[in-house]
């Protein structure tokens, strides 16, 4: 009897949701600010309630997408030239290879149904990219969570950024080492409700009373524990999230903040109690969003390519040429170049040494050829 009553309430909420989306679409079409402010929170509130009921097994799951919207893109970026650590012995953590301009270039060249490009940065760039919007961390992250040196702090506050600047729902979150490799319809991609994972890295829950000291492994284990606490045995740990842009939905973010210990992720530096962002969203949406799926990279040929940059400077050109040859023979939608360079790869000299300058030149040469 109780479940029947709750199903009826959810039906009412679905009707309210449809009305709210309609009003929001009308407001955007007419650029009516007052109507936007009234309609948007109502839509999010209704959507969050319906999805919560779905997760409890009370009501059918629903898919939340506003029709006919372009998909905005947020790029997370650290302005290394404005970071105190950039000129210190820790320069390896905060360095600037010039990737951002290529992330933007490829989005403009290869992405269709793309909306705005917004860069979330620790500080304004010395030379902004024309046509790109910049939002500083302090403008959307609460002061108690600053400084935001932990990328999870930025990611778990994306709903605040989205509402502050009026992003599309859903929108996509990119790191500055993620590049488009071939044509992609962003609206079509977002509509698939598909998350991609690696073919390895099932970290489970860890030991009963111990989370791994490895900050990444621990953050996945912490996410699994949090999801298991909500969904029970319905949540089965899976492989780690692929390093590709995340499609972020406000309703999912609202749900996560309401049901998961997200606050544990808002630390100045990463630790094992953080919730790994993409993994958490992927396996939460598998439960609460109708049609959402999590697919292994091995099942998704042509979707994802990943290379770890960990070669001595002297070997970079040959390694990059080999990667380019593979990408041209087998193009992928998303390509990531993860930087694991260490001081010894440069032959000394720090950020002003010749090795560092050569590395930057080789990386720029490589990135300029992606998508060409």
């Amino acid at each position: 009897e109780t479940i029947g009553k709750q199903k009826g309430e959810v039906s009412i909420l679905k009707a309210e949701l449809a009305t709210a989306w309609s009003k929001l679409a009308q407001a955007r079409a007419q650029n009516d600010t007052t109507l936007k402010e009234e309609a948007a929170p109502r839509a999010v509130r209704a959507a969050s309630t319906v999805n919560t009921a779905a997760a409890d097994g009370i009501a059918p799951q629903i898919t939340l997408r506003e029709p006919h919207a372009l998909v905005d893109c947020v790029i997370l970026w650290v302005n290394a030239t404005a970071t105190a650590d950039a000129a210190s012995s820790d320069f390896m953590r905060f360095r600037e290879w010039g990737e951002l301009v290529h992330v933007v270039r490829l989005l403009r060249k290869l992405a269709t149904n793309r909306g705005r490009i917004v860069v979330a940065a620790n500080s304004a760039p010395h030379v902004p990219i024309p046509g790109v919007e910049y939002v500083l961390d302090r403008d959307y992250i609460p002061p108690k969570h600053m400084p935001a040196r932990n990328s999870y702090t930025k990611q778990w506050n994306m709903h605040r950024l989205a509402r502050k600047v009026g992003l599309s729902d859903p929108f996509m979150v990119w790191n500055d080492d993620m590049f488009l490799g071939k044509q992609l319809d962003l609206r079509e991609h977002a509509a698939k409700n598909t998350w991609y994972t690696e073919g390895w890295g099932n970290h489970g829950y860890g030991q009963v009373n111990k989370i791994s000291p490895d900050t990444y492994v621990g953050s996945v284990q912490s996410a699994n524990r949090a999801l298991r606490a909500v969904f029970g045995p319905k949540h089965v740990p899976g492989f780690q999230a692929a390093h590709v842009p995340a499609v972020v939905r406000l309703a999912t973010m609202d749900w996560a903040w309401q049901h998961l210990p997200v606050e544990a992720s808002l630390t100045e530096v990463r630790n094992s109690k953080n919730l790994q962002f993409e993994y958490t969203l992927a396996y939460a949406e598998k439960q609460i969003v109708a049609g959402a799926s999590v697919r292994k990279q091995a099942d998704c040929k042509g979707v994802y390519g990943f290379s770890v940059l960990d070669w001595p400077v002297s070997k970079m050109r040959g390694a990059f040429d080999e990667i380019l040859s593979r990408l041209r023979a087998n193009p992928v939608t998303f390509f990531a170049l993860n930087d694991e360079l260490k001081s010894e790869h440069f032959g000394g000299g720090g950020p002003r040494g010749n090795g560092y300058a050569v590395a930057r030149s080789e990386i720029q040469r490589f990135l300029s050829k992606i998508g060409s």
Side-chain angles (χ1 to χ4, degrees), residues 28 154 173 234 294 297:
R28 286 183 171 166
K154 296 171 183 277
V173 177
K234 287 183 179 179
V294 179
Q297 182 219 343

Side-chain angles (χ1 to χ4, degrees), residues 112 122 134 148 174 246 268 311:
T112 56
N122 59 320
Y134 292 84
W174 301 64
E268 183 174 346
W311 324 290

Side-chain angles (χ1 to χ4, degrees), residues 42-264:
R42 184 181 178 195
V44 171
R45 191 164 53 247
S48 180
T49 308
V50 174
N51 262 352
T52 301
D56 292 337
I58 295 169
Q61 297 172 325
I62 61 172
T63 300
L64 302 175
R65 288 193 305 275
E66 182 181 355
H68 311 304
L70 300 178
V71 177
D72 294 332
C73 295
V74 178
I75 305 170
L76 304 181
W77 180 64
V78 173
N79 181 5
T81 57
T83 304
D85 297 314
S88 73
S89 59
D90 193 32
F91 84 94
M92 300 305 299
R93 178 68 183 88
F94 299 99
R95 50 177 170 251
E96 172 56 44
W97 298 127
E99 305 106 313
L100 182 62
V101 68
H102 295 286
V103 181
V104 172
R105 172 180 66 83
L106 291 166
L107 270 171
R108 286 174 168 166
K109 179 179 180 179
L110 299 174
T112 56
N113 283 319
R114 175 187 56 78
R116 298 148 63 193
I117 298 177
V118 178
V119 172
N122 59 320
S123 67
H126 296 307
V127 184
I129 300 173
V132 170
E133 303 172 47
Y134 292 84
V135 179
L136 302 186
D137 294 342
R138 65 171 181 265
D139 293 333
Y140 69 96
I141 298 175
K144 66 179 179 178
H145 300 145
M146 293 289 288
R149 294 189 176 95
N150 180 353
S151 62
Y152 294 149
T153 300
K154 296 171 183 277
Q155 291 170 322
W156 282 116
N157 278 288
M158 283 288 104
H159 62 308
R160 291 191 169 96
L161 184 150
R163 289 184 172 122
K164 180 178 180 64
V165 303
L167 293 180
S168 64
D169 185 12
F171 57 98
M172 293 180 69
V173 177
W174 301 64
N175 286 2
D176 62 2
D177 60 355
M178 299 173 178
F179 310 93
L180 264 184
K182 60 183 180 182
Q183 289 283 340
L184 180 67
D185 184 322
L186 299 191
R187 184 167 58 193
E188 184 179 289
H189 174 72
K192 288 180 179 178
N193 289 346
T194 299
W195 291 85
Y196 301 102
T197 72
E198 299 285 3
W200 55 276
N202 187 325
H203 301 301
Y205 306 112
Q207 298 176 29
V208 175
N209 295 311
K210 186 178 181 181
I211 292 289
S212 171
D214 181 285
T215 55
Y216 184 87
V217 173
S219 68
V220 174
Q221 292 174 339
S222 293
N224 279 320
R225 288 188 175 190
L227 292 165
R228 188 65 176 247
V230 175
F231 299 115
K234 287 183 179 179
H235 170 66
V236 178
F239 294 99
Q240 73 174 34
H243 196 61
V244 300
V247 177
V248 177
R249 296 170 177 81
L250 289 176
T252 306
M253 291 291 287
D254 291 339
W255 180 92
W257 272 86
Q258 183 180 352
H259 293 87
L260 302 175
V262 172
E263 201 78 25

Side-chain angles (χ1 to χ4, degrees), residues 345-359:
H345 290 127
F346 297 94
R352 294 182 178 84
N354 182 61
Y356 190 86
V358 172

Side-chain angles (χ1 to χ4, degrees), residues 288-303:
I288 66 174
V289 175
S293 64
V294 179
R295 300 178 59 192
K296 285 195 301 185
Q297 182 219 343
D299 300 327
C300 309
K301 291 182 179 179
V303 173

